[in-house]
Amino acid sequence: MTFLEKIRCLFTFGQGVALPLPEFDDATDPFTLFASWFEDANKSGILLPEAVSVSTCSSDGQPSSRMVLMKSFDNDGFVFYTNYGSRKSQELEENQKVALLFHWNVLQRQIRIEGTVEKTTLEQSSGYFNSRDRGSKVGAWASKQSEKLAHPDELKERVAQFEQEFSGKDVPHPEFWGGWRVKPHYIEFWQGRASRLHDRLCFDKTEQGWETFKLHP
């Protein structure tokens, strides 16, 4: 974070408690509201506003959470990329239900998302992979994500191995690496307020569209 971004972040800290929620009705679109809040988070100076907690659950009911970076969103959902052999991917293969949580403390805002997942297309995954820097591409090949290291230097050795293998040529997109799209059926916009009288604006997907309502804090 640059010095200017730090100043901007300090300046905006806590201002969210004074921000009004938009007027809403049955025509209100949660994706348009998400885009507006995400833009506010970007302007606030928050470091990595696209950071989001992804919660998955194994087939035996054990939940787990971790932070990833959302790389795109539209009316079809929210996309992040990972190794398909990772724990989160294995759990998503077993149980397609997932939850996301964005938390932007300086704005006193968070967004909770619940839904199911599907894999992005090979073209989408390759397109994003090819946009990454070379070190990240090599790292994707080298890391057997979520597996135990055979010895402390294994990862370093694997990085050297693939740097040599791809020396002088483009790093190809590995078939074991790609994206997940979270397709939401519930989205909650949480706005902090004084005295803990927070606003909770919710969107629940039905066959007719999005039902909107508010919850007690």
Side-chain angles (χ1 to χ4, degrees), residues 57-62 94:
C57 196
S58 65
S59 57
D60 64 0
Q62 175 62 55
E94 297 173 352

Side-chain angles (χ1 to χ4, degrees), residues 71-82:
K71 290 301 179 180
S72 64
F73 71 91
D74 55 28
N75 286 5
D76 289 329
F78 305 84
V79 175
F80 65 91
Y81 294 88
T82 189

Side-chain angles (χ1 to χ4, degrees), residues 39-79:
E39 182 180 4
D40 289 343
N42 267 306
K43 290 179 178 178
S44 73
I46 297 171
L47 181 64
L48 297 177
E50 66 272 28
V52 58
S53 172
V54 177
S55 296
T56 58
C57 196
S58 65
S59 57
D60 64 0
Q62 175 62 55
S64 60
S65 300
R66 75 288 289 160
M67 301 299 295
V68 303
L69 297 181
M70 177 192 70
K71 290 301 179 180
S72 64
F73 71 91
D74 55 28
N75 286 5
D76 289 329
F78 305 84
V79 175

Side-chain angles (χ1 to χ4, degrees), residues 17 103 105 108 110 188 190-200 215-217:
V17 296
H103 178 63
N105 190 46
Q108 293 293 287
Q110 61 182 359
E188 178 183 320
W190 183 98
Q191 177 68 72
R193 297 295 184 211
S195 302
R196 299 187 181 275
L197 300 177
H198 313 306
D199 278 316
R200 298 175 66 185
L215 294 177
H216 283 271

Side-chain angles (χ1 to χ4, degrees), residues 2-215:
T2 67
F3 178 73
L4 181 60
E5 288 171 333
K6 291 178 181 178
I7 294 297
R8 188 188 309 151
C9 192
L10 287 171
F11 179 74
T12 56
F13 186 80
Q15 286 191 0
V17 296
L19 295 174
L21 275 180
E23 296 295 326
F24 69 94
D25 54 32
D26 290 340
T28 303
D29 175 30
F31 296 104
T32 300
L33 181 54
F34 178 89
S36 176
W37 277 31
F38 188 65
E39 182 180 4
D40 289 343
N42 267 306
K43 290 179 178 178
S44 73
I46 297 171
L47 181 64
L48 297 177
E50 66 272 28
V52 58
S53 172
V54 177
S55 296
T56 58
C57 196
S58 65
S59 57
D60 64 0
Q62 175 62 55
S64 60
S65 300
R66 75 288 289 160
M67 301 299 295
V68 303
L69 297 181
M70 177 192 70
K71 290 301 179 180
S72 64
F73 71 91
D74 55 28
N75 286 5
D76 289 329
F78 305 84
V79 175
F80 65 91
Y81 294 88
T82 189
N83 187 313
Y84 285 143
S86 65
R87 176 178 174 180
K88 58 180 162 306
S89 289
Q90 291 176 27
E91 290 182 347
L92 290 172
E93 292 279 6
E94 297 173 352
N95 181 350
Q96 284 74 49
K97 294 180 179 179
V98 66
L100 304 180
L101 175 62
F102 292 89
H103 178 63
W104 300 313
N105 190 46
V106 293
L107 296 175
Q108 293 293 287
R109 284 177 171 176
Q110 61 182 359
I111 301 177
R112 296 179 56 231
I113 299 169
E114 297 174 9
T116 56
V117 294
E118 64 181 17
K119 288 182 177 179
T120 57
T121 65
L122 178 61
E123 291 75 19
Q124 290 169 323
S125 295
S126 293
Y128 174 67
F129 183 85
N130 292 330
S131 74
R132 304 177 93 203
D133 64 86
R134 186 176 182 84
S136 295
K137 292 177 183 177
V138 171
W141 279 93
S143 174
K144 296 186 286 187
Q145 194 171 345
S146 300
E147 293 187 23
K148 292 181 179 179
L149 290 169
H151 55 83
D153 292 326
E154 182 186 13
L155 182 59
K156 185 188 302 183
E157 292 174 358
R158 286 179 59 83
V159 168
Q161 170 194 335
F162 286 105
E163 284 180 339
Q164 181 176 5
E165 181 173 337
F166 300 128
S167 178
K169 53 187 176 182
D170 291 337
V171 180
H173 168 223
E175 62 180 16
F176 56 79
W177 190 98
W180 288 102
R181 176 178 290 101
V182 177
K183 300 176 72 66
H185 56 70
Y186 176 82
I187 305 178
E188 178 183 320
F189 295 83
W190 183 98
Q191 177 68 72
R193 297 295 184 211
S195 302
R196 299 187 181 275
L197 300 177
H198 313 306
D199 278 316
R200 298 175 66 185
L201 176 57
C202 308
F203 295 81
D204 197 20
K205 194 170 187 180
T206 68
E207 292 183 358
Q208 291 72 40
W210 291 96
E211 177 190 359
T212 57
F213 54 91
K214 293 183 74 174
L215 294 177

